[in-house]
Amino acid sequence: MLWSLYFGLLALVLRHVAASTLYLDPQTGLTFASDEKIYMNDKQGIIYRFAIPDGIDSTATPYDTVIQIVAPREVTWAGLAFGGTMDKCPLFVAYRSNGGQQAVTGSIRWAPGHQAPVPYTGANYTVYKEGTKSNNTHWQITARCTGCTSWIPEKNAATKYMRFTGSNRVAMAMGLKPVANPNSNTSDIDYHYMHAYWDADFKMATNANFTTTVQKLKGFEATS
Ligand code: HEM
Ligand SMILES: *[C@@H]1O[C@H](CO)[C@@H](O)[C@H](O)[C@H]1NC(C)=O
Ligand SMILES: *[C@@H]1O[C@H](CO)[C@@H](O)[C@H](O)[C@H]1NC(C)=O
Ligand SMILES: *[C@@H]1O[C@H](CO)[C@@H](O)[C@H](O)[C@H]1NC(C)=O
Ligand SMILES: *[C@@H]1O[C@H](CO)[C@@H](O)[C@H](O)[C@H]1NC(C)=O
């Protein structure tokens, strides 16, 4: 009893201090800051990765980010909340598609509160052929978002900018119930099975040749 309590606390502490790790993606040539979020039985994890440009010179500068999500096949959708809460920040949501040109569908949404998010028009994204695929065990998506690292939380509020020199508190959520229309980027999705928070290391995510590297990648035609 005491032992299991001890190990339980240890696991919590270890997870709490776990820092982003560096991941060089052979398919895109980008360097990502990578974090894995465990959601079940301390075994299955979803990986979230960020890549950002270098040369950003002021804290009030909007900048693009490439995000990569790798999820076990049983995960029906996985989402990323850029602002570290569900509400009032850009949410990137991805789900394995049901055939079609793209293995995984991306979607950008916004929730004014703790209710089903709606499409968000303040940002847009390109899903890259390199790094978007699925197999018998996993699916993964790689997408660039323009407009995800800065946003206006509500009317008359100041713009929020994500730090590019340090860490940002972000959040994820994921589901295990089927997505209604997985080839559509406006599909309904069910309430999450779990959510988690962490500090993503955006300094580690910096790429010296971000723009030229990203320009070489092939985007899918947008699907709605
Ligand atoms: C699909 C419809 C969704 C519904 C109905 C919904 C509903 C809710 C509700 C009621 C809560 C508060 C209770 C709780 O903590 O469990 C919550 C929390 C949360 N949700 Fe959602 N959610 C949805 C989708 C999403 C998506 C797509 C994301 C992320 C991409 C997300 C991220 C979070 C996070 C991080 C929390 C923790 C509280 C916070 O930090 O704001 N949710 N959600
Ligand atoms: C869906 O894709 C279209 C482009 O075809 C884009 O204009 C729209 O913002 C996307 N919607 C969502 C919710 O991601
Ligand atoms: C299946 O896809 C995942 C995610 O892309 C990858 O990590 C894994 O190596 C793949 N498995 C096989 C057997 O190719
Ligand atoms: C994409 O989003 C950015 C930032 O909100 C905006 O400046 C740009 O015009 C958008 N592009 C398209 C094609 O919608
Ligand atoms: C960036 O590109 C330049 C010119 O091609 C090259 O010399 C340099 O090594 C690259 N840096 C990184 C970090 O890839």
Side-chain angles (χ1 to χ4, degrees):
M1 176 60 190
L2 268 180
W3 276 107
S4 63
L5 182 64
Y6 174 75
F7 281 117
L9 285 174
L10 190 67
L12 272 179
V13 171
L14 283 178
R15 202 161 303 162
H16 182 68
V17 299
S20 304
T21 56
L22 196 66
Y23 176 73
L24 174 58
D25 183 28
Q27 278 200 290
T28 57
L30 288 165
T31 296
F32 289 91
S34 182
D35 284 282
E36 183 166 15
K37 294 293 118 188
I38 307 293
Y39 65 88
M40 198 187 259
N41 303 329
D42 285 350
K43 286 197 190 89
Q44 297 278 45
I46 305 177
I47 301 169
Y48 286 86
R49 297 183 173 130
F50 292 95
I52 67 164
D54 75 346
I56 306 161
D57 50 11
S58 132
T59 47
T61 309
Y63 59 92
D64 286 6
T65 179
V66 172
I67 76 159
Q68 186 170 73
I69 302 174
V70 184
R73 200 171 170 81
E74 72 197 27
V75 172
T76 54
W77 66 266
L80 176 76
F82 284 85
T85 58
M86 175 175 168
D87 59 323
K88 305 188 182 83
C89 67
L91 306 174
F92 183 78
V93 181
Y95 29 89
R96 185 163 47 78
S97 73
N98 186 13
Q101 59 152 349
Q102 234 172 275
V104 185
T105 304
S107 176
I108 189 87
R109 307 194 184 197
W110 180 278
H114 286 157
Q115 63 207 65
V118 296
Y120 177 51
T121 52
N124 46 66
Y125 62 91
T126 302
V127 176
Y128 291 121
K129 293 184 179 177
E130 297 89 349
T132 299
K133 55 190 178 169
S134 71
N135 59 26
N136 289 338
T137 61
H138 291 80
W139 54 263
Q140 80 169 62
I141 187 166
T142 305
R144 184 189 67 215
C145 183
T146 302
C148 282
T149 62
S150 54
W151 63 91
I152 302 169
E154 55 202 330
K155 208 172 169 225
N156 300 325
T159 305
K160 288 203 173 189
Y161 293 93
M162 292 178 84
R163 280 183 283 275
F164 56 89
T165 50
S167 291
N168 290 291
R169 192 74 168 160
V170 295
M172 58 76 74
M174 52 74 70
L176 295 170
K177 290 187 191 151
V179 167
N181 189 3
N183 293 355
S184 163
N185 72 0
T186 55
S187 176
D188 282 349
I189 51 174
D190 250 308
Y191 179 55
H192 20 89
Y193 174 79
M194 65 78 88
H195 65 263
Y197 309 95
W198 75 101
D199 296 320
D201 189 340
F202 272 43
K203 188 171 167 57
M204 183 184 278
T206 304
N207 279 254
N209 293 325
F210 183 89
T211 308
T212 47
T213 308
V214 157
Q215 270 164 0
K216 286 180 209 148
L217 302 176
K218 293 176 202 71
F220 283 106
E221 296 296 317
T223 45
S224 49

